[in-house]
Amino acid sequence: MSQNEGGAGTPAKDHGVLYIGMDLGTSRTSVSASNGVRETVYSMVGYPKDVVSRKLLKKDVLFGKEALEKRLSLKLYKPLEKGVLKYTGDGSMSDEAKANLKAAQDLIGEAIRLAKPRKDELIYCVIGAPAEASMKNKEAIIEAARAHVDSVMLCSEPFSVAYGLEWLEDVLVIDIGAGTTDLCRMHGTMPEDADQVMYDIAGDAIDAELARLIEKHCPGAQFTIHMIKDIKERWGYVGEPSERAIVELPVDGKPTPFDLTEHVRTACAILIDPIIKGIHKLVASFDPEFQTRLKNRVLLAGGGSMIKGLDTAVEKAMKERLGGGKVIRIEEPIYGGANGALKIAHDMPEEFWEKLK
Amino acid sequence: MSLKDTLKEAVKQMAFKTSLDSLKKKGVQQVSVLGIDRIIALIDEAVHRSLKSRLVGVEREAVADATKAEFLRMLRSNEELQAQKSEVQKLKERAEEEVDQLRRELQSQHQELQIKLDAGDPARASRYEGENAAIAGRVNELFHLLGQSGGAIGLSTVQDKVLELLMEVVAGERKDAEAARKALHDRDVDLLQRRIGKLNESLAHTERRLREVAAMKSLDDGISSVYRDVQGLRADDMQVGRKKELMAEIFKANLQLQKKKSQ
């Protein structure tokens, strides 16, 4: 039962129905709700290290950017890795795994709070879960969400992106997250295992490659992985550069400018090969009559799709290796999954929600 | 205010502001701009067309009136929530000020009490010293007189008796004085302790109120959904059949998952 129900003095849920769509991602968690709220938070959860830091921070738990900024006073957790919870669900769970599970549950609660639900409204939520998530993982997500909503369902992330755009037939969705790049073929029914391919070369892998290149080519430059992520988000591109990526990094305490243009391109380009391999695999195993149509309906989604020139670069590589194709970048990469999940929540019949209460 | 004006006001209220930079950060490259008058006209037109195509005259009017009434009710509900929010906020601030004031007062009373307790002992000691000196003076004076009497009475006997007598008197006086002083002191302490007790009680009461206000804060947390009822697929959706099947499949998978969890 939801915490919003049953308690003494709790208002009756007679005001309306709030639908929430959530994209639970390795890097960001985004929500779209039927009250017009759209929010995103970095998937990071921090707990004060000791009594002193708790008193200073005046909070028991911090999320997202705030947690990142105060990380020196916190035990910081990124509860998702490669698109799934760092949680095995077996009996011999380590303390670290238990802490990550709690962080994931707190993160889901925070995401729902960000949607600003009213106490007197029914809350129905659809969460886009990674296609590769284990049964225990999915159970943990459901359990965490049920503490805050009246009814909850999970669906595959790439599916929710396609559903949100009403592209249900002969479309190939490429969802580039932080932990994984998921490719999913839609053909009018729910995608099965054979319709999905996943690679662990995604945003985090780009960060690692860029860090390696900077370390190798920029002697003395000091940086953290968070600084690398910022550089990628600001300058990330493939193909021809529209401007030089001149970035200041400290060298022995002194800010020093470095030209990272080539390194950023090289790092971002590591996405192209697995994407093309995945497209090839899913196209080649599709009904031959519809292969051309599928190649011409490739959707780029997720935070990674914001890399400048990626759509053109994938199209170019498709032309070379698959004889052509058309790639479309969705308009709102950050909210594509959440918007789709919201649409699924809206379209779900009442009796289904009731049965899952 | 006409319904169009009310709609315009509501759209303005529900809209949120964001900067171009933050949109860019979220990956939005281009935005489509739609004027508020156009939105209102579209809503108005959509409602009228829908009513016209589905309902007959009288029924249409009734549904239109009911819809307007419901819309205005939702608006009022939002306004009430805003008012409640500011009221709760004020209550909270007032209670916090009160708690601060009480804490300061309690602290100053504690300090005052401590000063009085510390001052009590040295004052009493100096008073006893004065009394003792007076007694010794009187005894000396007595012996001086006896010396002058020419030795008619044994000196030591007289000395003992006189001292015994004097000390009895002095002891009695001391006892009375002590009792009087103690009573005075106790009254002060009692008074201060009662005041501290009251302040503690008041502090507890205010803190309780503060907690209640904090709990009420949840009243203002929340934005109304645009939906009053559960929606589901629209009958005129172009892909209604396919979507129904997809919804059923998602539901089936979730039912299995949640059943397994509850077992």
Side-chain angles (χ1 to χ4, degrees):
Chain A
M1 182 189 275
S2 155
Q3 280 178 354
N4 297 339
E5 286 182 326
T10 307
K13 299 210 161 193
D14 56 358
H15 191 86
V17 183
L18 178 72
Y19 294 114
I20 297 177
M22 187 188 299
D23 178 358
L24 188 63
T26 307
S27 172
R28 287 189 179 90
T29 295
S30 306
V31 283
S32 283
S34 64
N35 56 5
V37 171
R38 294 195 324 167
E39 289 286 347
T40 189
V41 60
Y42 285 117
S43 300
M44 288 179 195
V45 185
Y47 303 95
K49 275 181 182 165
D50 49 34
V51 182
V52 179
S53 51
R54 178 174 289 116
K55 194 159 185 176
L56 191 76
L57 297 164
K58 295 190 177 91
K59 285 178 186 173
D60 291 330
V61 54
L62 286 82
F63 299 96
K65 209 171 174 186
E66 192 183 13
L68 187 61
E69 282 166 0
K70 307 269 170 57
R71 63 185 179 275
L72 298 181
S73 315
L74 301 170
K75 280 181 198 157
L76 192 67
Y77 294 93
K78 277 186 78 179
L80 290 104
E81 190 177 57
K82 297 194 191 305
V84 296
L85 297 183
K86 292 179 192 167
Y87 164 66
T88 54
D90 57 33
S92 58
M93 249 204 312
S94 67
D95 288 347
E96 186 67 14
K98 281 180 193 163
N100 272 304
L101 175 62
K102 184 181 183 317
Q105 289 170 338
D106 287 342
L107 177 67
I108 291 170
E110 172 67 6
I112 289 165
R113 271 190 295 278
L114 283 175
K116 297 188 172 64
R118 283 176 59 114
K119 296 266 184 197
D120 54 0
E121 283 183 340
L122 282 165
I123 305 171
Y124 292 154
C125 179
V126 169
I127 301 177
E132 302 295 315
S134 69
M135 193 60 85
K136 288 284 176 194
N137 243 262
K138 288 178 180 170
E139 284 174 1
I141 295 170
I142 294 259
E143 197 180 330
R146 282 180 74 87
H148 307 275
V149 303
D150 294 279
S151 198
V152 58
M153 292 192 201
L154 298 186
C155 75
S156 128
E157 264 168 9
F159 171 78
S160 65
V161 172
Y163 193 89
L165 298 170
E166 302 247 343
W167 286 34
L168 303 178
E169 221 174 29
D170 307 331
V171 58
L172 204 158
V173 181
I174 304 171
D175 184 10
I176 308 167
T180 57
T181 296
D182 296 277
L183 291 91
C184 177
R185 183 172 68 192
M186 299 281 300
H187 44 86
T189 59
M190 283 301 284
E192 295 165 2
D193 286 348
D195 298 315
Q196 302 184 67
V197 182
M198 187 200 83
Y199 296 98
D200 59 7
I201 297 173
D204 288 347
I206 296 175
D207 297 343
E209 176 64 6
L210 185 54
R212 190 187 67 78
L213 290 169
I214 294 175
E215 206 168 345
K216 188 176 173 188
H217 298 287
C218 306
Q222 295 171 303
F223 56 84
T224 65
I225 201 69
H226 304 297
M227 290 159 76
I228 296 290
K229 196 181 270 291
D230 285 345
I231 294 170
K232 177 191 69 185
E233 287 178 2
R234 166 69 183 84
W235 300 101
Y237 82 101
V238 286
E240 290 306 311
S242 57
E243 55 186 330
R244 305 301 297 176
I246 310 294
V247 178
E248 279 195 345
L249 293 172
V251 175
D252 201 19
K254 184 185 169 194
T256 309
F258 289 97
D259 185 349
L260 303 181
T261 314
E262 285 309 312
H263 306 319
V264 170
R265 172 164 52 193
T266 309
C268 292
I270 64 169
L271 285 179
I272 296 172
D273 195 48
I275 287 177
I276 296 300
K277 273 187 193 161
I279 295 173
H280 192 177
K281 186 176 172 186
L282 292 175
V283 169
S285 56
F286 200 48
D287 185 327
E289 269 187 55
F290 300 98
Q291 285 184 5
T292 306
R293 185 171 155 79
L294 188 65
K295 279 194 291 183
N296 285 324
R297 288 159 64 87
V298 174
L299 277 181
L300 269 190
S305 69
M306 289 193 288
I307 291 172
K308 292 182 204 86
L310 187 61
D311 46 354
T312 313
V314 173
E315 263 182 19
K316 197 176 157 194
M318 281 177 79
K319 195 170 181 185
E320 285 166 11
R321 296 193 222 174
L322 300 165
K326 176 85 184 146
V327 179
I328 300 148
R329 186 201 306 260
I330 69 166
E331 277 193 19
E332 294 183 291
I334 300 293
Y335 291 104
N339 288 345
L342 174 62
K343 199 163 168 47
I344 293 168
H346 173 280
D347 289 351
M348 193 62 69
E350 183 170 11
E351 64 266 27
F352 290 171
W353 285 120
E354 287 294 326
K355 281 180 187 164
L356 291 177
K357 267 186 178 177
Chain B
M1 198 186 273
S2 72
L3 182 67
K4 278 187 183 177
D5 291 335
T6 315
L7 267 173
K8 195 185 275 188
E9 196 54 38
V11 172
K12 275 184 185 169
Q13 275 183 11
M14 290 174 83
F16 64 92
K17 287 184 179 167
T18 185
S19 68
L20 287 174
D21 280 347
S22 92
L23 284 175
K24 272 186 190 168
K25 220 170 177 184
K26 289 174 182 176
V28 181
Q29 302 296 332
Q30 288 184 321
V31 291
S32 305
V33 178
L34 188 58
I36 193 163
D37 290 327
R38 181 78 182 127
I39 295 171
I40 303 309
L42 282 171
I43 295 171
D44 202 38
E45 181 61 23
V47 171
H48 278 97
R49 272 194 198 176
S50 177
L51 290 174
K52 205 173 171 183
S53 65
R54 285 155 195 264
L55 301 170
V56 292
V58 180
E59 203 179 349
R60 189 189 313 153
E61 291 301 317
V63 172
D65 287 347
T67 309
K68 283 176 190 172
E70 175 64 11
F71 180 74
L72 291 170
R73 190 195 63 75
M74 280 175 73
L75 267 188
R76 274 196 297 276
S77 160
N78 269 340
E79 281 164 11
E80 279 164 20
L81 276 171
Q82 283 297 328
Q84 276 175 338
K85 177 186 171 182
S86 56
E87 186 57 33
V88 167
Q89 191 63 31
K90 274 184 207 161
L91 267 173
K92 186 185 168 201
E93 282 168 9
R94 212 178 303 147
E96 278 173 348
E97 273 172 28
E98 232 172 276
V99 168
D100 282 348
Q101 179 63 29
L102 285 168
R103 282 192 178 132
R104 280 196 293 273
E105 214 172 308
L106 188 59
Q107 177 72 12
S108 101
Q109 293 292 341
H110 268 301
Q111 281 170 352
E112 204 178 313
L113 176 61
Q114 194 56 47
I115 288 166
K116 289 211 173 203
L117 288 171
D118 292 346
D121 287 342
R124 204 177 308 142
S126 67
R127 190 168 179 172
Y128 288 162
E129 277 171 19
E131 284 174 359
N132 286 344
I135 291 162
R138 284 177 66 189
V139 170
N140 287 338
E141 197 180 325
L142 180 63
F143 275 94
H144 182 67
L145 287 172
L146 280 170
Q148 283 177 344
S149 72
I153 309 166
L155 192 60
S156 61
T157 312
V158 172
Q159 191 177 357
D160 288 345
K161 285 195 173 174
V162 170
L163 274 176
E164 191 181 343
L165 179 68
L166 277 174
M167 291 319 288
E168 269 178 25
V169 172
V170 169
E173 281 184 358
R174 274 186 184 164
K175 201 177 167 186
D176 293 346
E178 177 72 12
R181 275 194 295 273
K182 195 169 179 302
L184 189 66
H185 185 254
D186 285 353
R187 204 175 58 199
D188 276 355
V189 171
D190 187 48
L191 182 68
L192 285 170
Q193 279 178 340
R194 269 188 289 139
R195 285 173 74 180
I196 287 170
K198 276 187 184 172
L199 282 171
N200 272 328
E201 201 178 304
S202 182
L203 183 63
H205 174 70
T206 311
E207 282 179 338
R208 198 168 50 243
R209 272 181 56 203
L210 191 60
R211 278 198 299 277
E212 284 167 8
V213 169
M216 282 168 73
K217 206 179 75 176
S218 56
L219 269 177
D220 65 30
D221 283 341
I223 299 175
S224 293
S225 170
V226 295
Y227 301 121
R228 185 95 173 113
D229 305 300
V230 180
Q231 299 297 296
L233 276 163
R234 287 205 327 265
D236 60 350
D237 192 298
M238 298 283 280
Q239 305 187 70
V240 64
R242 176 164 296 148
K243 283 182 177 175
K244 261 186 189 168
E245 285 170 16
L246 290 170
M247 293 300 108
E249 284 187 53
I250 294 173
F251 165 69
K252 213 188 293 172
N254 276 278
L255 189 66
Q256 273 179 350
L257 182 69
Q258 296 188 31
K259 257 188 184 170
K260 202 178 164 201
K261 172 77 188 155
S262 62
Q263 276 167 3

